[in-house]
Each structure stands twice: as C-alpha cells, then as structure tokens.
Amino acid sequence: EDKVVQSPLSLVVHEGDTVTLNCSYEVTNFRSLLWYKQEKKAPTFLFMLTSSGIEKKSGRLSSILDKKELFSILNITATQTGDSAIYLCAVEAWTNAGKSTFGDGTTLTVKP
Amino acid sequence: NAGVTQTPKFQVLKTGQSMTLQCAQDMNHEYMSWYRQDPGMGLRLIHYSVGAGITDQGEVPNGYNVSRSTTEDFPLRLLSAAPSQTSVYFCASSLVNTGELFFGEGSRLTVL
C-alpha cells in the first residue's frame, strides 16, 4: 500500500522567514510526486516532480525530489501572510494511474 | 472556463438517507476521482475512474457507489448516510499523461 508522510504537521512562522516542508513516501512503481496548496477551498497544483535532483521553482517556492532516499522538500523563502495554507504532498504510481495517494498535509501559518 | 463542477456545495442529511453528489468536468479528462477530507487527515481516495465504464475502489470505498457512463460525469452516491460520512468531498480530474489533479470547489456534507 502506498504511503505518504508529511512533516511537520503544522508550522507557525513570521513574515520574511524561510520554511522547509518535508514529504517522505513509499510507493511501488513510482511515477511522480506532486505538491498542492490548499487555502480555503480546493487544492491547487504547485509542482510535479519525476526526476531526482532537478529543482522546480516558481517565484519564492521551490521543490526537489530525492528518489534514492524517497523524499521531497518544498521550500518557501521570504514568506508572506498569503502563503498561509495547507500544503499537500501526493504520489502516483505507474501501476495505479489516475490514483493519487496524499499525505495529511502541513498547515503553515505566517504571522505579520 | 468551468473546469470541475460539483453540486451541491452544502448538504445536511439524516442518518439513513441517500443522496448523490454530482461532478462534471469539461476538460475531456480521462481520469476522475472522489476524495474526502476530514480535519487533520489530508485527502483520502474513495473511488476513481480511468475512463467511461471503468471504476475502481480507493482507500475508503465502503458506503459509497460510483458510475461513469460518460467522460464528463462521475457522480458519487451515498446509499445510507451515516454520521461517519460527515466530511468535505472533493471531485478531481486529470489527463492520462499528467498527474496534475484539477479539483472541484468541494461539497460539505453533514449527517445528523
């Protein structure tokens, strides 16, 4: 059974801080790891990672995958109050295409 | 651009009642899925479909039925509602070649 563990479960920082969110996984026949941001309603896509060591970047957010150690990190630099959200990590396997397994999420609170 | 549309957004049921959550997407996505989200538990997969006429169970399928008669629609049926089914339900869709999920706005269900 596929498994995704995120840490920490919650985090409180102040504006301007840098945060690192962790995601470890166990999946047979790994296809991809995805990060989503969830504010008040539905999750929205941030990154999809398929190869080790290649950083994906979007503004102040970046993410990298380590397929040998089976984990990914999501970094947010110069945090803003608008970064407050639940960050979800999910994995997909080739043998179960269309079926994503999610972690429990990290709730990030950025205080002014 | 509608994307993934879920109805209703809110519903209150009594124990034992049945209902259907509707989900429609207009992006011609092959994959569709239903998740439930409980506080502190991330997203758990209920049922998913890789194409019209094909459905399969996820992690928590008991008490729910699905069907996929068209590419666009993927309704979720609660056969006999129980308080344990109080949750927020998300429908999602994706293309076969990418893992990125597109989510509906969610349906908040309360079972009394």
Side-chain angles (χ1 to χ4, degrees):
Chain A
E1 186 177 319
D2 301 341
K3 187 176 177 183
V4 177
V5 178
Q6 292 186 244
S7 64
L9 291 181
S10 65
L11 192 55
V12 180
V13 300
H14 287 93
E15 274 192 317
D17 288 349
T18 293
V19 298
T20 297
L21 310 183
N22 304 294
C23 176
S24 63
Y25 64 90
E26 296 173 22
V27 59
T28 303
N29 215 0
F30 174 86
R31 178 183 180 181
S32 60
L33 184 145
L34 301 101
W35 285 97
Y36 295 86
K37 178 182 181 182
Q38 184 178 23
E39 296 177 83
K40 296 208 182 300
K41 291 187 177 178
T44 54
F45 172 79
L46 292 174
F47 299 112
M48 183 170 73
L49 303 154
T50 57
S51 301
S52 276
I54 299 175
E55 185 182 54
K56 293 282 183 90
K57 199 168 170 64
S58 176
R60 296 175 293 101
L61 277 67
S62 63
S63 184
I64 198 160
L65 175 68
D66 185 328
K67 289 170 73 173
K68 183 180 176 186
E69 300 298 329
L70 307 181
F71 78 91
S72 173
I73 59 171
L74 175 68
N75 279 324
I76 308 174
T77 59
T79 52
Q80 302 171 356
T81 55
D83 295 326
S84 295
I86 300 172
Y87 290 85
L88 296 163
C89 175
V91 295
E92 202 186 30
W94 284 106
T95 45
N96 285 314
K99 174 185 172 185
S100 291
T101 299
F102 283 81
D104 288 339
T106 293
T107 301
L108 174 65
T109 303
V110 182
K111 293 190 170 182
Chain B
N1 52 346
V4 179
T5 304
Q6 281 182 241
T7 56
K9 288 187 169 45
F10 299 94
Q11 183 73 50
V12 179
L13 291 177
K14 293 181 180 178
T15 296
Q17 287 185 315
S18 62
M19 75 157 299
T20 299
L21 297 176
Q22 302 290 347
C23 177
Q25 53 93 7
D26 62 358
M27 297 173 283
N28 205 28
H29 285 175
E30 299 91 344
Y31 296 156
M32 295 186 75
S33 48
W34 277 102
Y35 291 86
R36 60 177 286 174
Q37 186 174 34
D38 301 303
M41 296 192 72
L43 294 168
R44 291 186 291 169
L45 182 65
I46 305 171
H47 286 285
Y48 66 106
S49 168
V50 298
I54 306 168
T55 63
D56 206 347
Q57 296 181 352
E59 300 170 65
V60 289
N62 292 340
Y64 307 95
N65 270 356
V66 291
S67 59
R68 184 105 180 263
S69 56
T70 66
T71 300
E72 295 78 20
D73 300 299
F74 191 45
L76 178 72
R77 296 180 187 86
L78 280 71
L79 309 172
S80 177
S84 60
Q85 294 178 304
T86 294
S87 188
V88 179
Y89 292 83
F90 288 101
C91 179
S93 71
S94 64
L95 288 168
V96 65
N97 291 329
T98 74
E100 178 187 349
L101 291 172
F102 293 79
F103 287 89
E105 293 280 285
S107 300
R108 183 174 293 275
L109 175 67
T110 302
V111 183
L112 302 175

